[in-house]
Amino acid sequence: MFFDTHAHLDTPVFDSDRNEVFERAQSAGVTRFVNPAFDTVSSARACALAETRPNVWAAVGVHPNDADSVIKNEGCLCDIFRLASMPKVVAIGEIGLDYHWDTSPRQVQSNVFIEQLSIARKTNLPVIIHCRNGVSTTTDNALEDLLAILFDRPWLESRVLLHSFAGDLDQARRAIGRGYMLGLGGPLTYPKSLFTRDVAQYVPLEYIVLETDAPYLPPQKVRGKRNEPSYMPAVAEKISELRAIDIEEVARVTTENALRFFGIGDGLVL
Ligand SMILES: [Zn+2]
């Protein structure tokens, strides 16, 4: 059974066929989900979805692309702090830095990111990180800026999930050295993702979790379509191929990792 650690199933793009999406996921063996958020509205929606489905958990937070607008409109992160104490919230996320779109000034991104790290500390929740580099390898290296912020906070050890990890093997090793988890999804199957395939092949499986990032980042064979959790086996297959292990082992270990990371008991029979 697969655990999709990153699926935006609350978003309106699933409004017309959400039940079918869950049914197809179930048939593909994808039975548990964490639904992360990117602003206050989606945080509330993620919590509402988790309330109605026993196998969905929520993460609440403000994405770096939305950092500026949230601060301008609401002035604080009070709603995120409030929602973080809802019973099915298992993480703060997705939060981080994005130098690709640069839709919020970088200083605002980093302030909002750091403030949400303290919310995670106060609420004793792990964090789901979004990080995307810009074009320049020197001035736009968001991942290095981000790791510096995280490494400065030793209490985050084993409490960080780097979603859609796109760094190289050296950055992966530094991250897992702190007990961080790496989320792998559709991009692993893209022709250009050489670093990501290295990571999937050489990092111990105990540090890897699976994700789709639905509706975004579909695997290569359905690229251009709306992504959904039922496509997750394509990612697991790629990992099993790279590591020369059974896909069942990939499913079992990554699911155990996700349950452990999010502190979800396995009482739920699915
Ligand atoms: Zn996402």
Side-chain angles (χ1 to χ4, degrees):
M1 296 297 168
F2 296 108
F3 192 135
D4 188 347
T5 60
H6 199 110
H8 298 279
L9 298 168
D10 66 292
T11 49
V13 70
F14 292 113
D15 281 354
S16 60
D17 64 345
R18 191 168 285 105
N19 282 335
E20 288 85 342
V21 167
F22 276 109
E23 277 163 23
R24 284 195 292 272
Q26 180 78 32
S27 312
V30 187
T31 54
R32 297 178 179 87
F33 313 85
V34 167
N35 191 125
F38 38 81
D39 59 11
T40 309
V41 173
S42 65
S43 294
R45 264 196 331 239
C47 291
L49 181 66
E51 285 305 310
T52 63
R53 292 194 175 256
N55 57 344
V56 176
W57 290 267
V60 297
V62 175
H63 190 287
N65 290 352
D66 296 289
D68 205 27
S69 58
V70 167
I71 294 308
K72 274 189 189 142
N73 296 336
E74 291 153 46
C76 81
L77 293 162
C78 320
D79 285 336
I80 301 299
F81 188 72
R82 182 179 55 79
L83 289 167
S85 60
M86 301 280 285
K88 287 194 77 191
V89 172
V90 291
I92 300 295
E94 55 190 295
I95 60 174
L97 301 176
D98 192 313
Y99 294 175
H100 173 81
W101 295 110
D102 266 334
T103 50
S104 298
R106 291 181 184 182
Q107 194 55 50
V108 175
Q109 291 189 38
S110 102
N111 290 346
V112 168
F113 176 43
I114 289 169
E115 205 174 322
Q116 293 183 95
L117 292 176
S118 14
I119 293 179
R121 188 176 197 183
K122 281 183 208 143
T123 52
N124 197 25
L125 288 169
V127 293
I128 299 173
I129 301 290
H130 166 98
C131 187
R132 189 158 177 198
N133 293 338
V135 178
S136 157
T137 47
T138 47
T139 57
D140 293 337
N141 199 327
L143 185 53
E144 283 305 321
D145 289 357
L146 180 118
L147 291 178
I149 293 171
L150 296 176
F151 290 174
D152 243 6
R153 293 167 172 74
W155 52 270
L156 280 168
E157 201 164 308
S158 304
R159 311 285 284 161
V160 174
L161 163 51
L162 298 167
H163 131 72
S164 197
F165 184 75
D168 60 24
L169 199 51
D170 168 66
Q171 289 167 319
R173 287 188 170 133
R174 283 153 55 210
I176 67 166
R178 308 271 176 153
Y180 299 176
M181 304 298 289
L182 311 178
L184 297 180
L188 182 61
T189 62
Y190 299 170
K192 285 187 182 160
S193 303
L194 302 176
F195 286 160
T196 314
R197 280 192 286 280
D198 272 353
V199 168
Q201 186 168 358
Y202 297 114
V203 163
L205 202 53
E206 281 60 38
Y207 294 99
I208 292 175
V209 293
L210 303 183
E211 60 171 61
T212 57
D213 203 12
Y216 314 107
L217 303 176
Q220 183 67 20
K221 64 174 184 186
V222 283
R223 228 167 153 179
K225 283 175 74 172
R226 180 190 71 174
N227 194 13
E228 61 168 63
S230 66
Y231 299 143
M232 167 163 277
V235 176
E237 247 164 53
K238 181 52 89 181
I239 297 178
S240 83
E241 195 184 298
L242 288 164
R243 305 180 75 100
I245 56 175
D246 292 344
I247 192 165
E248 289 75 21
E249 188 180 348
V250 176
R252 181 181 56 78
V253 178
T254 55
T255 295
E256 281 169 10
N257 294 344
L259 292 169
R260 185 178 66 243
F261 179 79
F262 291 114
I264 297 170
D266 202 10
L268 190 67
V269 181
L270 294 164

